[in-house]
Amino acid sequence: MAKKIPHELTVHGHTRVDNYYWLNQREDSAVLDYLNAENAYTEKVMAHTAALQEKLYEEIKDRIKQDDESVPFLSNGYYYYTRTVPETEYHLLCRKKGSTESDEEILLDVNQLAKGHPFYAIGGSSVSTNNQILAYGADTVSRRNYTVYFKNLETGELLADEIPMTTGHVVWANDNKTVFYTLRDEETLRSIKIMKHVLGTPIEDDQEVFYEDDETFGVGIFKTKGYDYLMIVSFSTLTTEYQFLDANKPEGNFTVLQPRTRGLEYSANYYNGYFYIRTNLDAQNFRLMKTPVQKPGKDNWIEVIPEREDVFIEGFDLFKNYMVVQERKEGLSLLRVMPWKGDEHYISFDEEVYSAWISTNKEYDTNMLRFGYSSLTTPSSVFDYNMDSREKKLMKRQPVIGDFDPANYEAKREYAIADDGTKIPMSIVYHKGLKKDGNNPAMIYGYGSYGNTIDPTFSSSRLSLLDRGFVYAIAHIRGGQINGRKWYDNGKLLKKRNTFTDFIACSEHLIDSKYTNSDKLFAKGGSAGGLLMGAVVNMRPDLYKGIIAAVPFVDVVTTMLDESIPLTTGEFDEWGNPKEKEYYDYILSYSPYDQVEAKDYPAMLVTTGLHDSQVQYWEPTKWVAKLRDLKTDDNPLLLKINMDYGHGGASGRFEWIRELALEDAFIFDQLGIEG
């Protein structure tokens, strides 16, 4: 039980008393003692499942191919790929010159770099245009602050240049000595500046190229596909702005493509004298435009693909003879192949529920499209597609070690009916032969924010549930974008509660359709999906046997009032700014931490990381403390704080399995499943 130190927070004449506000002092020994006590309590409560956790860990790990290799992609004369070797946590970054049959060159052995670090992540890697120098970012704390290093690929030596507090991504000008990078604010972690560095010069002499002074925006930089232009992008929830510079002239000044206008979103890439632009200009579901480089403003934009009410344009890629557009219709991914001359077509897919996406295509002058594919029963797959002959070639399907057979599982799309009559799509998978008698254990997963769509893709770790008779469902609730931009708009700001009631409707559908019952139904979500868990468990705690809330965003009002916290200022257009009373009242009505009541709650496992840069550790910690104080049931309430990691959990390819094994063991323990 956390001690109570009342702290009054008054806004708009309304006072909230936060008894656990003191837990936000990361360096305070009393806070650290409390976090360690929570971990000790969780370990004690779960001690009797230690053997089960180890069994699950080995079971999930054994499905992963130890010595694996990605499909190489061609870029500027080299084939790049990653590979792993047995019993190691991290990958090797490799390349071969001119042919996949050439000798291997190991650019980075991340296992060696990670030695001595509980956490290690590569945040981006890019090679100079002459293929001689590798720039890469490394984070050893898990707050997504990367130090950039430079490696001479001919000698293997690291250069003296080191750049701290970046986003990890470096863009090379075509002179092979000038790089552009993004600096982050040390307190808010907002990406705020584009800087220019010349190799061999002091970091202190780096030139500020652009400063993003609007606190609701972040900033980044990339290079167009054919190495023609450097592109600075300023972005917020509702608005974007691009600037461009000839990559052969890094000493020049950037030119604004289209000045920012609130509510105008666009993205741009370059081909053959034109910028091609995906935009919501007079088009809620987006349309595709082009404009001459010499006349980039929107008054000169020419329509290439018009908006369609039933089709959402997600992205595009450009080739010498083709354009490929990624679309979504009726919740399903579509890949549209459009030659510059001739008839267009769509790539066909056979399954009822699947996900497809444009993959890594670095070369212009090719008729081959690399795309990815997965479904709830088909492991992640890489295809090469000949856009001339329309032939698909499977380059790799992620191996699942053991007796996995996709024919043993069934996936389908079903619809729940929301409170307002809206049909909410659900993707459902289970082992064939399942009886719909209302007595199966089930897991329902959701997210529902930022327009992020949780696609129905494969997970080998999920087999540990399916093979024990679980039904697994993904609720494609509003706030995501599976049914286009309107789906997103109807699940944010003053319509955010739709996200929660949609999820409840999907949960009720599983029960009404005799897949499961409330004594065997579990719900899971992370980050903004953890907010979903917190809201839903306050609204309908009777609907679930248990809840898994990973790094949950649950103290919404307090966080959105504190502009020193990472992400806050950039998210006013997602949640609303509680400094405005209308938004304050609305957010308060669903904020999980503020709405905890004295009533029965289901069993709950909550996870967080001390170094989380996205959702600060104290949010779930305070939430658990308040729940433990007020709840009236005897169900377990556990908090697991990883003292070495941040938002994404463990960095190694096996270490994260221990976190998942704990979650599964928690669920199985509640159901009396012993193995």
Side-chain angles (χ1 to χ4, degrees):
M1 301 294 290
K3 63 182 178 182
K4 294 180 181 180
I5 304 177
H7 181 84
E8 291 190 352
L9 298 162
T10 301
V11 183
H12 306 300
H14 177 258
T15 298
R16 294 175 297 137
V17 177
D18 187 346
N19 289 321
Y20 306 106
Y21 190 84
W22 63 276
L23 285 167
N24 69 4
Q25 300 301 308
R26 192 191 312 269
E27 309 300 329
D28 190 312
S29 60
V31 172
L32 293 174
D33 288 345
Y34 176 73
L35 298 180
N36 286 320
E38 282 283 8
N39 276 340
Y41 175 69
T42 295
E43 186 173 352
K44 181 177 180 180
V45 171
M46 293 297 292
H48 67 286
T49 69
L52 174 59
Q53 289 183 55
E54 191 61 29
K55 176 182 178 180
L56 288 165
Y57 171 80
E58 294 294 340
E59 180 181 303
I60 297 170
K61 181 182 177 183
D62 286 348
R63 296 193 192 103
I64 299 173
K65 192 173 188 294
Q66 294 264 341
D67 51 342
D68 205 0
E69 187 174 306
S70 66
V71 181
F73 64 84
L74 179 62
S75 179
N76 198 25
Y78 282 82
Y79 285 89
Y80 289 86
Y81 59 99
T82 61
R83 66 178 177 87
T84 53
V85 295
E87 299 303 324
T88 58
E89 290 282 354
Y90 300 96
H91 66 266
L92 309 177
L93 175 62
C94 310
R95 71 178 182 181
K96 295 180 179 180
K97 186 175 183 179
S99 166
T100 55
E101 303 302 316
S102 300
D103 292 339
E104 178 181 81
E105 181 182 350
I106 298 176
L107 308 185
L108 291 178
D109 182 346
V110 184
N111 295 290
Q112 294 298 320
L113 296 173
K115 283 185 175 179
H117 299 289
F119 180 94
Y120 194 91
I122 297 293
S125 57
S126 58
V127 178
S128 58
T129 310
N130 62 8
N131 295 311
Q132 294 177 4
I133 301 175
L134 169 71
Y136 67 94
D139 173 16
T140 59
V141 179
S142 190
R143 279 186 72 77
R144 303 185 184 182
N145 294 326
Y146 297 87
T147 297
V148 170
Y149 301 93
F150 297 88
K151 182 178 180 180
N152 186 317
L153 297 178
E154 295 182 327
T155 66
E157 296 176 343
L158 284 179
L159 306 187
D161 312 64
E162 291 185 13
I163 310 173
M165 277 304 295
T166 79
T167 59
H169 183 60
V170 168
V171 177
W172 291 87
N174 291 344
D175 65 357
N176 301 300
K177 64 180 182 180
T178 306
V179 295
F180 294 80
Y181 61 93
T182 308
L183 274 182
R184 305 183 82 189
D185 183 272
E186 293 193 18
E187 182 177 24
T188 67
L189 304 186
R190 183 172 70 92
S191 51
I192 56 171
K193 292 180 182 178
I194 301 299
M195 304 291 292
K196 180 168 66 176
H197 173 71
V198 178
L199 291 183
T201 65
I203 302 300
E204 297 77 27
D205 294 345
D206 287 359
Q207 179 183 343
E208 180 182 306
V209 176
F210 176 71
Y211 173 62
E212 181 51 74
D213 59 1
D214 189 327
E215 293 184 349
T216 67
F217 279 73
V219 65
I221 187 167
F222 68 97
K223 188 190 285 189
T224 56
K225 183 171 179 175
Y227 310 111
D228 298 287
Y229 287 96
L230 304 167
M231 304 284 282
I232 293 174
V233 54
S234 295
F235 53 89
S236 70
T237 304
L238 295 177
T239 309
T240 47
E241 178 183 76
Y242 280 66
Q243 303 174 54
F244 61 95
L245 174 67
D246 187 331
N248 293 309
K249 301 176 181 178
E251 71 284 353
N253 297 317
F254 280 80
T255 300
V256 174
L257 195 158
Q258 162 59 40
R260 66 187 68 180
T261 303
R262 181 167 172 79
L264 176 62
E265 298 175 60
Y266 68 94
S267 58
N269 216 319
Y270 171 80
Y271 174 68
N272 198 25
Y274 288 87
F275 288 121
Y276 283 77
I277 298 166
R278 171 187 174 267
T279 181
N280 69 341
L281 176 65
D282 301 323
Q284 186 179 38
N285 264 346
F286 287 74
R287 56 178 171 158
L288 196 66
M289 317 286 277
K290 71 176 184 179
T291 191
V293 171
Q294 295 79 11
K295 298 179 179 179
K298 66 181 176 66
D299 291 342
N300 303 299
W301 292 2
I302 304 164
E303 187 170 78
V304 178
I305 300 176
E307 181 199 18
R308 288 152 293 165
E309 186 176 345
D310 61 339
V311 177
F312 179 57
I313 296 178
E314 294 187 314
F316 65 94
D317 204 346
L318 303 168
F319 299 85
K320 180 180 179 181
N321 296 315
Y322 291 91
M323 175 169 63
V324 179
V325 184
Q326 185 170 316
E327 303 177 341
R328 193 178 292 270
K329 182 176 181 179
E330 296 178 353
L332 292 176
S333 306
L334 305 174
L335 297 181
R336 182 182 183 183
V337 180
M338 305 177 67
W340 299 119
K341 297 179 181 179
D343 297 330
E344 65 178 63
H345 67 276
Y346 286 88
I347 300 175
S348 60
F349 303 108
D350 299 327
E351 295 186 82
E352 177 184 350
V353 181
Y354 68 88
S355 178
W357 59 93
I358 299 171
S359 187
T360 305
N361 297 276
K362 295 287 189 179
E363 300 294 305
Y364 264 135
D365 192 4
T366 176
N367 64 352
M368 205 67 68
L369 168 72
R370 172 74 52 85
F371 73 87
Y373 179 89
S374 184
S375 76
L376 292 172
T377 59
T378 303
S380 183
S381 308
V382 176
F383 285 89
D384 277 354
Y385 180 76
N386 188 311
M387 293 182 280
D388 293 337
S389 67
R390 304 188 183 186
E391 294 176 330
K392 276 188 289 192
K393 181 180 180 182
L394 177 63
M395 303 301 292
K396 179 178 180 176
R397 179 155 287 153
Q398 189 63 40
V400 180
I401 307 302
D403 59 357
F404 168 72
D405 183 350
N408 290 333
Y409 305 89
E410 184 171 351
K412 57 174 57 179
R413 172 66 51 84
E414 294 191 12
Y415 294 87
I417 306 300
D419 290 351
D420 61 3
T422 303
K423 292 172 63 178
I424 312 300
M426 304 172 63
S427 298
I428 302 173
V429 62
Y430 48 82
H431 202 286
K432 283 185 177 177
L434 181 98
K435 294 181 180 180
K436 292 174 67 173
D437 58 5
N439 201 38
N440 304 297
M443 168 69 79
I444 181 169
Y445 181 87
Y447 188 77
S449 292
Y450 305 111
N452 289 346
T453 296
I454 305 300
D455 275 309
T457 55
F458 184 80
S459 166
S460 64
S461 61
R462 190 184 299 144
L463 298 176
S464 293
L465 298 177
L466 301 183
D467 290 347
R468 289 172 172 85
F470 274 74
V471 175
Y472 187 91
I474 301 171
H476 301 295
I477 50 187
R478 283 174 284 187
Q481 217 156 223
I482 194 168
N483 282 340
R485 177 50 63 97
K486 187 176 180 181
W487 204 251
Y488 173 36
D489 291 342
N490 284 330
K492 68 175 183 178
L493 296 174
L494 298 175
K495 296 181 180 179
K496 188 63 205 172
R497 292 181 72 90
N498 284 338
T499 302
F500 316 135
T501 54
D502 285 359
F503 190 85
I504 289 170
C506 290
S507 301
E508 291 175 329
H509 176 85
L510 291 176
I511 294 171
D512 294 342
S513 300
K514 302 297 183 182
Y515 281 111
T516 189
N517 61 70
S518 58
D519 288 330
K520 293 191 174 182
L521 177 60
F522 289 78
K524 180 178 177 179
S527 194
L531 161 64
L532 171 67
M533 294 300 101
V536 164
V537 81
N538 280 333
M539 296 165 71
R540 287 295 306 277
D542 59 301
L543 206 50
Y544 306 97
K545 176 67 174 177
I547 298 286
I548 307 291
V551 292
F553 175 40
V554 285
D555 191 13
V556 190
V557 178
T558 304
T559 290
M560 293 305 296
L561 284 168
D562 187 348
E563 296 182 10
S564 71
I565 293 177
L567 302 187
T568 292
T569 56
E571 303 210 349
F572 289 146
D573 289 327
E574 179 73 26
W575 314 104
N577 187 344
K579 290 181 180 178
E580 300 176 27
K581 190 174 188 305
E582 181 182 27
Y583 286 109
Y584 176 86
D585 292 340
Y586 189 80
I587 296 171
L588 184 65
S589 75
Y590 68 74
S591 176
Y593 181 63
D594 294 287
Q595 296 303 322
V596 172
E597 298 175 328
K599 60 186 177 186
D600 287 359
Y601 283 87
M604 298 175 65
L605 172 62
V606 182
T607 64
T608 187
L610 180 63
H611 301 293
D612 196 326
S613 59
Q614 311 301 105
V615 178
Q616 306 305 304
Y617 75 90
W618 59 77
E619 291 200 36
T621 302
K622 289 165 51 178
W623 183 45
V624 167
K626 189 173 182 180
L627 278 165
R628 190 169 286 131
D629 179 51
L630 291 179
K631 74 189 192 84
T632 55
D633 59 86
D634 294 324
N635 294 320
L637 172 61
L638 303 179
L639 176 63
K640 171 64 176 177
I641 310 108
N642 198 302
M643 305 300 278
D644 293 321
Y645 307 148
H647 198 66
S651 55
R653 62 175 178 146
F654 298 129
E655 190 60 30
W656 67 271
I657 299 174
R658 296 205 178 275
E659 302 169 11
L660 188 57
L662 173 66
E663 294 177 6
D664 285 356
F666 177 80
I667 293 168
F668 295 167
D669 190 44
Q670 296 308 303
L671 293 171
I673 299 174
E674 297 182 358

